[in-house]
Amino acid sequence: MVESLLILLTRICCGLIVRCVNEDFRKPGVIFFANHTSHLDLLVILSVFPAAQRRRIRPVAAQDYWTRGPVRRYIALHVLHAILMDRRHPMKTRAGFDAIAAALDAGDSVLIFPEGSRHDREEPGEFRGGIHHLAEARPETAFVPVALHGLYRTLPKGEFLPAPNVGRVCFGKALQLEPAESRAAFLARCREALIATGRWNDD
């Protein structure tokens, strides 16, 4: 019930417009990667999917934010079924990557935000290396870019209550790590794919 209520409120607040370039996003066991401008981003992406598929998508979230208080912890662990990453202690991130691998092995998909933190602009910043680490460990896995638009205005950084606004979500063409592709090249290609996916907002 909590999940259904959160999804309903998200759809009402964001009035979502969705575009899908292809059907890769419907396949199980993919890794979605998105730009990050709002705490609504995660819920907005999940709200696009029907309930059965939504419950097989494991968002990767910041442990320091989502365990701050019993309500957030409950939502993260029991509603969103998030994989929590410890950003403050890099040596402990191995447990998070192991949890991601286990989720993929179980046939679930994973949702990540490669910038690592929110930005007050919609064009993504530089990607951190985690997405490349996943691609090296899972070269056969499809990485699907998810471009978000308008959510910063719905819930600006530092605000608690959302303001109704039209949000846009676009699922782009999947990509994979190419043989002998360097870390820098892969990160740049993923970022460019995400930017290209979001250009439909200018049409």
Side-chain angles (χ1 to χ4, degrees):
M1 182 175 291
V2 175
E3 177 196 34
S4 299
L5 179 60
L6 285 173
I7 294 300
L8 176 61
L9 291 175
T10 299
R11 288 172 176 167
I12 291 172
C13 287
C14 299
L16 296 178
I17 298 173
V18 180
R19 182 186 184 190
C20 305
V21 172
N22 56 38
E23 294 299 305
D24 285 322
F25 81 104
R26 297 187 185 279
K27 298 177 182 177
V30 305
I31 295 178
F32 299 101
F33 64 98
N35 56 313
H36 197 14
T37 64
S38 165
H39 282 311
L40 285 176
D41 295 345
L42 190 158
L43 283 170
V44 163
I45 295 171
L46 293 179
S47 73
V48 171
F49 296 91
Q53 188 176 1
R54 182 168 65 239
R55 289 163 188 159
R56 298 301 305 269
I57 299 174
R58 303 288 305 280
V60 177
Q63 179 176 296
D64 56 292
Y65 177 82
W66 286 100
T67 58
R68 197 180 303 159
V71 174
R72 286 185 193 176
R73 179 186 291 272
Y74 177 83
I75 291 174
L77 297 179
H78 301 289
V79 178
L80 302 176
H81 306 290
I83 297 169
L84 299 181
M85 298 288 282
D86 190 336
R87 300 185 297 182
R88 296 180 176 180
H89 302 92
M91 295 300 293
K92 296 181 180 179
T93 59
R94 176 59 185 269
F97 283 116
D98 289 345
I100 291 172
L104 293 170
D105 286 341
D108 292 340
S109 293
V110 174
L111 167 60
I112 64 173
F113 297 94
E115 296 163 278
S117 59
R118 289 175 296 152
H119 295 279
D120 58 358
R121 61 187 183 277
E122 289 181 331
E123 182 171 309
E126 296 301 315
F127 283 8
R128 296 186 180 182
I131 188 172
H132 178 256
H133 179 84
L134 291 173
E136 276 195 318
R138 302 277 172 158
E140 75 287 354
T141 299
F143 287 75
V144 179
V146 186
L148 303 172
H149 180 77
L151 302 183
Y152 177 72
R153 292 189 295 272
T154 303
L155 188 63
K157 193 171 183 177
E159 296 295 328
F160 178 72
L161 295 175
N165 186 48
V166 175
R168 297 172 183 250
V169 184
C170 183
F171 293 85
K173 294 180 180 179
L175 54 89
Q176 291 175 299
L177 182 68
E178 296 179 352
E181 186 174 21
S182 69
R183 176 181 182 273
F186 181 72
L187 295 181
R189 187 160 63 94
C190 287
R191 183 175 180 273
E192 286 301 317
L194 186 55
I195 292 172
T197 299
R199 287 192 182 124
W200 72 283
N201 295 300
D202 300 326
D203 296 342

